[in-house]
Amino acid sequence: MTDFPADGILRRMATILDGKKVADSIYTKLLFDVSLLPSIPKLVVVLVGNDPASETYVRAKTKKAATLGLRSETLTLPSSFSEEDLVKTIRGLNDDKDVHGILVQLPLPKGIDRYKIMHAISPLKDVDGLHPENSGRLAEGNPRLVPCTAAGIIELLRFYSVGVEGKRAVIVGRSEIVGRPVAQLFLMHNATVTICHSKTRNLEKEIRNAEILIVAMGRPKFVIGEMVAPGTVVVDVGIHRTEDGLVGDVDFDSVAKVASAISPVPGGVGPLTIAMLMRNLVQAAQLKSLSQN
Ligand code: GUN
């Protein structure tokens, strides 16, 4: 037996973009930033209803805050809670001087307009970066609080010295939480950006054209090795619980054979989403302490 591939061409293994390692380096810096603040930042997570996946995500966020010595509280509200009462609750948190960051976990129960809720959060406490003042600032290239997963992807690429300038970055997915803010960040870093979505014609051709491919489409193992050009840097934002365990939107085994770098699921983008939430919380606390000076 030989380890040589059948076609005789030796290929380098793809670099694994290890999100946990990057997150740990971010936490080291955050702890220093926190030490300079006049008080320990406090996050309030608002969870409406009892979606099990949301409960898991919220637990992960508050647990990490506790590990870092940050304060957090989860406000669990019944799915029958009205939109009007939710807006009132948020206004109360906006006025609470002891609260630095507010996150309303999505999705919200049917009948609650998520835009009304996101718009009710003070833009200075909007650790999700979804308030139109924050998304507008990002669109003008002057960001303040940036959506966590999008910011995490940029940090992941920065840590591994993946240059973005002038590259063809293809983003599959146009959500407000990931696709759109990632596109804005790539534009800010002078990439040539293509955003693909469910109506894109010839998606495979677009994917093959990517030098950097960000997949956030919500379909398990959709992107396979044959779709990807050799040497592409692939970031997988998907996460799905399947019989094979947790998988992403990318078929890791086949894509890792052609990519120059790839983020795994789990352990890729996920840890960075939480790290960026913690960074946004610290940034919100910094914004508050600046406004008091
Ligand atoms: N649900 C899934 N991802 C997110 C996120 O980044 N923020 C909020 N608020 N809810 C989510």
Side-chain angles (χ1 to χ4, degrees):
M1 284 293 284
T2 168
D3 288 326
F4 281 87
D7 61 9
I9 299 169
L10 279 176
R11 295 177 181 83
R12 252 176 53 151
M13 268 298 291
T15 300
I16 305 299
L17 304 173
D18 181 345
K20 204 175 162 302
K21 198 155 130 186
V22 185
D24 284 344
S25 80
I26 285 160
Y27 291 135
T28 305
K29 176 169 186 312
L30 269 192
L31 289 175
F32 175 72
D33 291 344
V34 171
S35 74
L36 301 178
L37 285 168
S39 64
I40 303 288
K42 179 175 176 184
L43 170 70
V44 175
V45 181
V46 180
L47 178 60
V48 189
N50 45 13
D51 176 58
S54 289
E55 284 171 353
T56 306
Y57 293 141
V58 167
R59 256 197 311 276
K61 290 168 185 177
T62 52
K63 198 172 145 203
K64 181 49 83 176
T67 312
L68 295 173
L70 303 173
R71 294 181 297 152
S72 76
E73 190 182 306
T74 305
L75 216 54
T76 307
L77 303 169
S79 53
S80 58
F81 212 68
S82 72
E83 184 181 277
E84 197 188 335
D85 286 341
L86 187 53
V87 168
K88 272 191 205 146
T89 303
I90 290 166
R91 293 214 174 111
L93 296 169
N94 288 344
D95 293 340
D96 187 338
K97 290 192 170 29
D98 195 38
V99 173
H100 302 87
I102 304 166
L103 182 147
V104 178
Q105 185 67 22
L106 299 172
L108 285 164
K110 281 198 182 69
I112 299 183
D113 178 350
R114 61 184 280 190
Y115 295 106
K116 233 179 221 165
I117 301 308
M118 292 301 144
H119 296 194
I121 298 171
S122 159
L124 293 172
K125 296 189 179 186
D126 170 35
V127 287
D128 250 334
L130 296 175
H131 186 285
E133 188 172 316
N134 286 320
S135 51
R137 287 183 67 126
L138 177 59
E140 69 183 9
N142 177 31
R144 190 170 50 195
L145 293 162
V146 174
C148 305
T149 303
I153 291 167
I154 296 296
E155 290 304 322
L156 187 64
L157 297 177
R158 197 200 309 271
F159 186 91
Y160 284 96
S161 305
V162 175
V164 169
E165 185 160 306
K167 296 273 178 66
R168 290 187 305 275
V170 175
I171 299 151
V172 189
R174 57 176 158 180
S175 70
E176 287 144 65
I177 292 182
V178 185
R180 287 167 200 244
V182 168
Q184 297 292 0
L185 289 170
F186 273 120
L187 269 181
M188 273 182 62
H189 288 90
N190 301 318
T192 301
V193 178
T194 304
I195 309 177
C196 302
H197 47 76
S198 52
K199 299 284 187 282
T200 296
R201 277 183 283 130
N202 209 342
L203 177 60
E204 289 196 23
K205 180 170 158 257
E206 301 294 347
I207 289 175
R208 208 172 163 76
N209 194 34
E211 292 172 283
I212 300 173
L213 177 67
I214 312 295
V215 193
M217 63 195 303
R219 290 174 64 176
K221 293 190 177 183
F222 179 87
V223 174
I224 57 172
E226 286 139 55
M227 296 179 189
V228 176
T232 306
V233 174
V234 180
V235 178
D236 188 353
V237 186
I239 185 146
H240 311 273
R241 209 171 285 279
T242 70
E243 283 174 2
D244 304 337
L246 289 178
V247 302
D249 288 351
V250 172
D251 176 42
F252 183 88
D253 292 342
S254 65
V255 174
K257 290 195 177 103
V258 288
S260 61
I262 181 169
S263 69
V265 176
V269 171
L272 280 167
T273 296
I274 298 186
M276 292 298 111
L277 174 62
M278 298 302 133
R279 192 171 81 176
N280 279 351
L281 174 64
V282 172
Q283 199 189 334
Q286 287 167 336
L287 288 169
K288 180 179 176 234
S289 91
L290 281 176
S291 72
Q292 284 168 339
N293 290 332

